[in-house]
Amino acid sequence: MSLDAVAFRKTLGCFASGVTIVTALADDGSPVGVTISAFCSLSLDPPLVLFCLNRNSSHRAALTHGNVCISILSEEQASLSSRFASKSEDRFAGLDLDPTPQGIPAPAGGLARLDCRVVSVAEGGDHDIVICAVEAATHADEKRPLVHCQGAYHGVHPLG
Ligand SMILES: Cc1cc2nc3c(=O)[nH]c(=O)nc-3n(C[C@H](O)[C@H](O)[C@H](O)COP(=O)(O)O)c2cc1C
């Protein structure tokens, strides 16, 4: 029996996830970035994380080698998530940036940030699984994460 594509997407959408923006520099030096929720921790020692990028992404070349920055968005940053998923908007126009020491542009003011180097890329169907070594990690304790599930953005609140 073949899987119904809409049902599959909706089922996966029940898994609540944080939202990141993965940024890098293209070969011509221009900044690139994509909204990614398929992000997870992989290893503590050595420190590794991974994200999954659609193989049709226009920024596949820049985001699958060299230095990348993974910004974990706070609940105030839903509009940034939409901007970095949009084909029509200039994603970096007027954006307040806080570049990494390697010169990778990253949005300022997020919940947390991982300065990374891509160490390997595996094929995962129509996505690339991009494994990154983490070279620096920072976070802001006072902020709360942006969450995406069931097709909408949410904040988190403690239970009990
Ligand atoms: C909340 C959210 C989560 C997303 N997660 C992913 C993801 O994990 N991997 C991915 O390749 N695209 C993801 N996307 C879609 C990309 O952001 C979007 O298709 C991409 O920015 C298209 O532009 P590009 O061709 O410049 O990559 C997500 C979009 C949104 C709004």
Side-chain angles (χ1 to χ4, degrees), residues 55-78:
R55 290 163 65 85
N56 289 325
S57 168
S58 18
H59 305 304
R60 186 177 178 209
L63 296 175
T64 54
H65 77 277
N67 294 305
V68 299
C69 183
I70 302 174
S71 299
I72 300 174
L73 300 187
S74 70
E75 63 185 356
E76 295 88 29
Q77 294 180 305

Side-chain angles (χ1 to χ4, degrees), residues 32-84:
V32 302
V34 175
T35 300
I36 299 276
S37 59
F39 161 83
C40 75
S41 55
L42 176 62
S43 164
L44 288 175
D45 186 15
L48 299 173
V49 296
L50 68 79
F51 65 89
C52 301
L53 179 68
N54 193 312
R55 290 163 65 85
N56 289 325
S57 168
S58 18
H59 305 304
R60 186 177 178 209
L63 296 175
T64 54
H65 77 277
N67 294 305
V68 299
C69 183
I70 302 174
S71 299
I72 300 174
L73 300 187
S74 70
E75 63 185 356
E76 295 88 29
Q77 294 180 305
S79 63
L80 268 193
S81 170
S82 302
R83 179 200 280 228
F84 278 82

Side-chain angles (χ1 to χ4, degrees), residues 90-115:
D90 177 346
R91 296 179 181 179
F92 287 87
L95 195 63
D96 191 12
L97 294 176
D98 181 16
T100 71
Q102 293 76 26
I104 304 302
L111 170 64
R113 192 171 103 175
L114 300 150
D115 300 354

